Amino acid sequence: MHAKTTFHRDLEFGAKLGAIIQNADERAKLIDDPKAVLSELGAASDVQLFADTADTVHLVIPAEIDAARVAAGDETYFEELGKAALGSCYYEDLPE
């Protein structure tokens, strides 16, 4: 039951955060005062917010790495780490 509750809570939080990010005014508020906006959503006050720009992309490095999978050269794991680091970044190919 705990896992279902946690999962449901995470989905609700993600949906609310997604709605904020997609709304220009709400996104600006989030960037200007992330602690206030995130606290309204029930997030911890020690969350750091990094907003990508056209010139800057932030990569998230996982707190824990499976050393055994890294040592084994597990390509699937490397792909998982890459996806986690990039999140949902999407950049169109720019003309040369």
Side-chain angles (χ1 to χ4, degrees), residues 10-25:
D10 292 346
L11 284 176
E12 284 182 346
F13 177 79
K16 290 176 185 176
L17 188 58
I20 288 170
I21 290 169
Q22 292 178 44
N23 178 297
D25 292 334

Side-chain angles (χ1 to χ4, degrees), residues 17-63:
L17 188 58
I20 288 170
I21 290 169
Q22 292 178 44
N23 178 297
D25 292 334
E26 294 299 314
R27 181 182 170 96
K29 288 179 192 175
L30 176 63
I31 291 169
D32 289 341
D33 192 0
K35 288 186 183 207
V37 174
L38 292 173
S39 108
E40 288 175 14
L41 296 178
S45 63
D46 62 346
V47 171
Q48 287 187 294
L49 178 79
F50 297 96
D52 290 352
T53 66
D55 299 326
T56 305
V57 176
H58 297 87
L59 298 178
V60 176
I61 311 245

